[in-house]
Amino acid sequence: MLDILNEVKNFREEEDSLKWEGTFEAYLNILKDRKEVAQTSHSRVFEMIKSAGLTEENGEKTYHFFGDEIFGLEDSIKRLVEEYFHPAAKRLDVRKRILLLMGPVSGGKSTIVMLLKRGIEAYTKTDAGAVYAIKGCPMHEDPLHLIPTHLREDFSEHYGIRIEGSLSPLNTMRLEKEYKGRIEDVVVERIFFSEDKRVGIGTFTPSDPKSQDIADLTGSIDFSTIAEYGSESDPRAYRFDGEFNKANRGIMEFQEILKLDEKFLWHLLSLTQEGNFKAGRFALISADELIIAHTNETEYRSFVSNKKNEALHSRIIVMPIPYNLKVSEEERIYKKMIRESDMSHVHVAPHALRVAAIFSVLTRLEDSKKQGIDIVKKMRLYDGESLDGLNKVNVAELKTEFPNEGMAGIDPRYVINRISSAIIRKEVPAINALDVLRAIKEGLDQHASISKEDKEKYMNYISIARKEYDEIAKKEVQKAFVYSYEESAKSLMENYLDNVEAFCNQRKLRDPLTDEALGPDEKLMRSIEEQIGVSENAKKAFREEILIRISAYARKGKRFDYSSHDRLREAIQKKLFGDLKDVVKITTSSTRPDEMQLKKINEVVARLIDEHGYNSTSANELLRYVGSLLNR
């Protein structure tokens, strides 16, 4: 049993162990060994992403930092990291730009920002991501700002660290009054970023322009202290509690940035370009923060078309975040959404979410003008499937054909809403692919933003998704039935391999009964090879490949068996299923199965439950559906 209070205590003790406090002199000793402590906000975020790891496979980079939350957006993430975070970390001019994530609703923009914020919170609790600030400073100011301007060049040569920014008005006063100008005595502490505690992370959301005050960004005068300090220009009479103040050293998020009133947007000009902002009756206040914002494409186009926004537009780097275009990754999105809901106990039959994903991805794809590539082939290629005569080069060409592909279509929220509707409506705690497609179809009438033309297209995509499911369903039952005839499958495989060996070595086979010398059974071999589309011209190469695989296994002392070659196993299963089709028809569609048929049905249901992820309800529904397909 979890002792929650004990866990909280351990967590508190762990946090306490990370705390550090010392003089500025002691802080300089830390810098001698660990220069990364003084890195910029952009560099800290980039190093955080890097530290999570990187995998490169088939020319596609996957940054693990985003791996468990962002699906199918590898190209966008790669561009985000390599075209913004990396050069910004190297102090190139990119860091003086607002990072604007632009894309359709529910495309992952907010999730990316959330990951960065949660990630930087955790990273500042590590040695590599440690951040130190002047103690008591509401802006968590960089202690190096204490070093006078005329000494900074010498400091840079000695420590290898560049100092940017000026000491804030409040700390300038504190240095004189509290520390008598002795910077070596100024107290420095280690800080930990926290959005909840408003340390190193700021978030700004637009509201009514009439009631929203610029003080929300820059802080405000504390009128209750003016009598004490005698002037509005005394920094002690000012609350440095705006989002700009609190986001210093870390991340500043602007939600729906282009909905902001102009007076807020113009305050970003100085912050982005010069690294400072104006507050109260003070000189410009330095701030080092990564500014990240998000918006949709319609608002961005409207913003760009307004000539008044040219100055701010030139200080924005736009990163398109389109919808995911991979069926398998879309399926992962839906699994995650259901897992995080209160309906995770409901059984969702295998392939139900895949069928929904097929529909969603089809709505986001553009019809290619390239010969021989229809939208279904394109969908399969994008998902990493190999199709005859088509390869990765073709995929790369397809992606350049429509640069804005994925910026429109059905969003994941709509689909998960319809799946949720199907889950809630169905009395049995299980839903299948047909339930999902039915719910999506019914929902199109309620989707106000879908035009009549789009609705017709989407209805066609539902039909395509249904056809795809029909093939998947037949294959599922095929596999379950074939496993029930496993000995037959193995025997067929051995027979095929004997004939392949005879064919490739140009020798005869012996009839086991008559001992008669016979040539290889071409009819048998072709009946199997045709199941997976091996042409007459390609049969020799395919058979030689099988023989090479057998030899490779033999050299390693391993036995080549039924599971050693995926394509051959698929061909054997299809061949056997074709031979068994009449048995399957009778068994699955019989209203009153005899004892033998009932036994076979139970075996197949058990196989579907144990090895394919169905429950009793969904397995029996699958069998009935496939029976109806085979009897059409």
Side-chain angles (χ1 to χ4, degrees):
M1 182 178 174
L2 176 66
D3 184 350
I4 189 65
L5 292 179
N6 197 45
E7 290 292 320
V8 170
K9 180 186 174 186
N10 291 339
F11 176 74
R12 189 169 59 243
E13 289 174 352
E14 186 179 333
E15 290 244 300
D16 288 342
S17 70
L18 295 175
K19 290 178 180 176
W20 181 92
E21 186 177 301
T23 63
F24 180 65
E25 186 176 2
Y27 172 66
L28 290 180
N29 289 328
I30 291 175
L31 287 185
K32 285 178 182 176
D33 299 323
R34 295 162 52 205
K35 288 195 298 183
E36 70 275 6
V37 165
Q39 64 191 322
T40 64
S41 58
H42 292 82
S43 175
R44 191 172 291 111
V45 171
F46 175 64
E47 292 299 327
M48 170 193 73
I49 294 169
K50 262 201 336 182
S51 69
L54 168 69
T55 302
E56 190 163 0
E57 192 173 337
N58 299 324
E60 203 168 73
K61 287 184 179 179
T62 302
Y63 286 90
H64 298 172
F65 178 80
F66 301 93
D68 294 331
E69 297 288 338
I70 300 293
F71 307 113
L73 296 180
E74 290 83 7
D75 289 345
S76 298
I77 293 296
K78 176 175 176 284
R79 186 179 169 198
L80 179 64
V81 174
E82 297 179 5
E83 293 185 22
Y84 182 81
F85 288 123
H86 192 180
K90 300 298 183 186
R91 298 180 191 256
L92 291 170
D93 225 40
V94 169
R95 73 187 176 116
K96 297 180 179 179
R97 308 288 181 268
I98 298 167
L99 174 60
L100 179 63
L101 307 181
M102 185 267 290
V105 296
S106 190
K109 304 183 296 295
S110 299
T111 304
I112 289 171
V113 179
M114 180 272 292
L115 286 172
L116 292 171
K117 292 194 293 186
R118 296 297 82 80
I120 203 67
E121 285 179 340
Y123 191 60
T124 58
K125 293 177 182 175
T126 67
D127 288 342
V131 184
Y132 296 80
I134 297 173
K135 187 176 181 180
C137 173
M139 286 185 59
H140 330 294
E141 188 165 9
D142 185 348
L144 294 183
H145 286 181
L146 291 163
I147 295 178
T149 306
H150 67 279
L151 295 177
R152 291 184 178 184
E153 192 173 328
D154 291 340
F155 177 87
S156 178
E157 286 181 14
H158 183 71
Y159 282 86
I161 297 170
R162 285 171 56 188
I163 303 173
E164 295 178 344
S166 305
L167 196 61
S168 66
L170 180 61
N171 285 322
T172 299
M173 176 174 280
R174 289 179 64 208
L175 178 61
E176 292 304 316
K177 291 187 177 294
E178 290 180 34
Y179 297 104
K180 311 303 181 190
R182 291 176 56 83
I183 66 171
E184 63 269 30
D185 294 338
V186 173
V187 179
V188 175
E189 64 178 347
R190 183 173 177 182
I191 61 170
F192 307 99
F193 288 179
S194 167
E195 185 171 22
D196 292 339
K197 295 177 182 177
R198 302 187 73 214
V199 178
I201 298 174
T203 305
F204 193 76
T205 306
S207 60
D208 181 7
K210 294 177 182 176
S211 61
Q212 197 161 31
D213 194 336
I214 198 67
D216 293 345
L217 285 178
T218 61
S220 60
I221 297 167
D222 185 352
F223 289 100
S224 66
T225 61
I226 290 177
E228 180 182 353
Y229 298 118
S231 169
E232 291 183 14
S233 60
D234 190 310
R236 292 170 298 180
Y238 195 86
R239 292 195 186 103
F240 292 90
D241 60 357
E243 296 303 321
F244 283 168
N245 308 107
K246 296 301 181 181
N248 187 34
R249 315 288 301 284
I251 295 173
M252 176 69 213
E253 177 195 7
F254 279 90
Q255 297 177 350
E256 301 298 337
I257 188 172
L258 302 183
K259 289 179 180 173
L260 286 171
D261 189 73
E262 281 184 7
K263 64 183 178 184
F264 294 97
L265 292 176
W266 292 114
H267 266 267
L268 288 171
L269 290 176
S270 176
L271 183 58
T272 53
Q273 191 64 35
E274 307 300 335
N276 51 44
F277 63 93
K278 190 78 173 73
R281 298 179 179 180
F282 307 115
L284 292 169
I285 298 174
S286 297
D288 168 30
E289 44 204 80
L290 187 159
I291 300 174
I292 186 166
H294 38 97
T295 190
N296 61 53
E297 190 172 10
T298 304
E299 286 178 347
Y300 176 70
R301 300 297 171 207
S302 174
F303 171 78
V304 170
S305 63
N306 188 342
K307 293 291 183 184
K308 290 197 302 182
N309 296 325
E310 283 183 356
L312 186 60
H313 182 227
S314 68
R315 288 170 172 82
I316 291 175
I317 285 186
V318 180
M319 286 289 169
I321 307 294
Y323 285 132
N324 157 61
L325 297 177
K326 295 180 181 178
V327 170
S328 56
E329 295 297 303
E330 188 74 10
E331 192 177 358
R332 290 180 68 194
I333 294 172
Y334 300 148
K335 283 179 180 176
K336 174 178 173 280
M337 287 176 159
I338 290 174
R339 188 170 61 246
E340 292 173 351
S341 74
D342 290 336
M343 303 304 295
S344 56
H345 63 284
V346 175
H347 174 76
V348 179
H351 311 297
L353 299 183
R354 182 168 188 82
V355 169
I358 287 171
F359 165 76
S360 299
V361 170
L362 286 172
T363 69
R364 301 166 188 169
L365 295 176
E366 302 280 354
D367 285 302
S368 176
K369 296 180 177 62
K370 295 186 182 295
Q371 191 173 2
I373 298 181
D374 60 22
I375 200 164
V376 176
K377 278 187 179 176
K378 186 177 188 180
M379 174 189 75
R380 288 178 176 161
L381 283 167
Y382 276 16
D383 204 34
E385 288 187 41
S386 297
L387 301 178
D388 286 342
L390 299 170
N391 53 35
K392 287 175 193 168
V393 174
N394 299 100
V395 174
E397 289 174 357
L398 286 171
K399 286 181 177 178
T400 58
E401 191 178 4
F402 299 100
N404 286 330
E405 191 169 47
M407 297 298 278
I410 289 290
D411 65 278
R413 283 186 197 138
Y414 168 78
V415 174
I416 208 67
N417 287 346
R418 300 313 305 160
I419 292 172
S420 301
S421 172
I423 288 173
I424 296 294
R425 185 175 51 200
K426 199 168 180 188
E427 293 179 9
V428 193
I431 63 164
N432 58 38
L434 298 180
D435 296 323
V436 170
L437 286 178
R438 197 178 297 116
I440 290 173
K441 184 178 179 181
E442 290 169 359
L444 292 179
D445 294 325
Q446 305 162 23
H447 206 301
S449 63
I450 295 178
S451 66
K452 185 178 179 182
E453 183 185 353
D454 281 342
K455 185 181 174 184
E456 288 177 5
K457 276 201 308 183
Y458 293 170
M459 292 295 285
N460 179 46
Y461 295 149
I462 289 174
S463 298
I464 292 173
R466 171 75 176 266
K467 288 175 186 172
E468 292 288 305
Y469 175 66
D470 289 351
E471 291 306 309
I472 291 170
K474 284 189 279 190
K475 281 181 181 177
E476 286 282 79
V477 174
Q478 164 191 317
K479 287 177 185 175
F481 262 88
V482 167
Y483 275 121
S484 298
Y485 289 88
E486 199 162 350
E487 289 306 313
S488 302
K490 287 179 180 176
S491 175
L492 183 59
M493 180 102 161
E494 292 296 331
N495 196 358
Y496 173 79
L497 293 177
D498 287 343
N499 279 278
V500 164
E501 200 170 348
F503 172 84
C504 292
N505 295 330
Q506 296 182 346
R507 64 176 178 79
K508 300 283 186 179
L509 289 167
R510 290 283 173 185
D511 188 295
L513 296 176
T514 65
D515 202 37
E516 180 185 358
L518 301 171
D521 190 340
E522 186 66 24
K523 186 177 179 183
L524 169 73
M525 289 188 287
R526 291 302 296 142
S527 70
I528 291 170
E529 292 157 357
E530 285 170 352
Q531 301 294 327
I532 51 172
V534 176
S535 66
E536 184 70 26
N537 292 333
K539 70 180 183 183
K540 186 171 184 291
F542 181 76
R543 293 169 189 175
E544 286 172 348
E545 182 207 325
I546 296 291
L547 204 61
I548 290 168
R549 182 77 66 89
I550 292 171
S551 300
Y553 269 63
R555 282 199 306 274
K556 295 174 182 175
K558 294 163 65 178
R559 177 176 166 75
F560 185 90
D561 60 23
Y562 184 60
S563 61
S564 300
H565 194 286
D566 290 340
R567 289 192 73 207
L568 182 55
R569 181 177 59 206
E570 182 188 351
I572 295 290
Q573 287 175 349
K574 284 184 174 180
K575 166 66 176 164
L576 197 54
F577 186 65
D579 295 344
L580 292 170
K581 194 169 283 187
D582 289 338
V583 177
V584 177
K585 275 187 191 178
I586 296 166
T587 309
T588 55
S589 59
S590 178
T591 53
R592 292 184 179 176
D594 59 31
E595 187 178 341
M596 194 68 184
Q597 290 170 344
L598 195 59
K599 182 185 176 188
K600 186 57 62 182
I601 287 173
N602 290 337
E603 285 178 3
V604 172
V605 167
R607 180 73 66 177
L608 289 170
I609 293 170
D610 294 342
E611 298 189 11
H612 294 263
Y614 291 82
N615 69 1
S616 177
T617 302
S618 59
N620 280 289
E621 286 175 345
L622 177 71
L623 282 176
R624 283 195 296 273
Y625 181 63
V626 171
S628 71
L629 288 176
L630 294 175
N631 279 300
R632 283 176 190 171

